Amino acid sequence: ADNIGLSINGELLFTIALGNAGYIVLDGEKMNAYKGDVFMNRVVTGDYENLSLKTGTNQISWTGNVNKIIIQNESRWI
């Protein structure tokens, strides 16, 4: 499988060598990648420090074969 590039607001943040994994979860707070309970950090190259969305409109783009992107906001603020 091809690599996947994930960009937010025009900045390439991650390159993911997904292979046959099917899916991957990027946890910005823990700065880790998972598939279920299995660490997938070895297939991800990028910078979690810049993984954030700005207030208002954000542009999320990707390269490679992607069927779905799900974003879950888990704010630490109440």
Side-chain angles (χ1 to χ4, degrees), residues 67-78:
N67 293 326
K68 184 187 326 182
I69 293 177
I70 299 171
I71 299 172
Q72 293 179 322
N73 180 19
E74 300 193 16
S75 176
R76 291 180 260 169
W77 307 104
I78 297 176

Side-chain angles (χ1 to χ4, degrees), residues 55-70:
T55 301
T57 303
N58 290 270
Q59 179 186 12
I60 299 170
S61 58
W62 59 88
T63 58
N65 187 12
V66 176
N67 293 326
K68 184 187 326 182
I69 293 177
I70 299 171

Side-chain angles (χ1 to χ4, degrees), residues 13-78:
L13 296 182
F14 297 100
T15 301
I16 305 165
L18 194 59
N20 294 324
Y23 73 91
I24 195 166
V25 175
L26 300 176
D27 186 327
E29 184 175 7
K30 294 181 181 176
M31 296 185 177
N32 281 312
Y34 304 93
K35 180 179 180 183
D37 293 335
V38 177
F39 281 108
M40 298 293 287
N41 294 326
R42 290 184 178 180
V43 303
V44 178
T45 303
D47 185 2
Y48 286 93
E49 292 293 328
N50 293 325
L51 179 58
S52 65
L53 299 175
K54 298 177 182 177
T55 301
T57 303
N58 290 270
Q59 179 186 12
I60 299 170
S61 58
W62 59 88
T63 58
N65 187 12
V66 176
N67 293 326
K68 184 187 326 182
I69 293 177
I70 299 171
I71 299 172
Q72 293 179 322
N73 180 19
E74 300 193 16
S75 176
R76 291 180 260 169
W77 307 104
I78 297 176

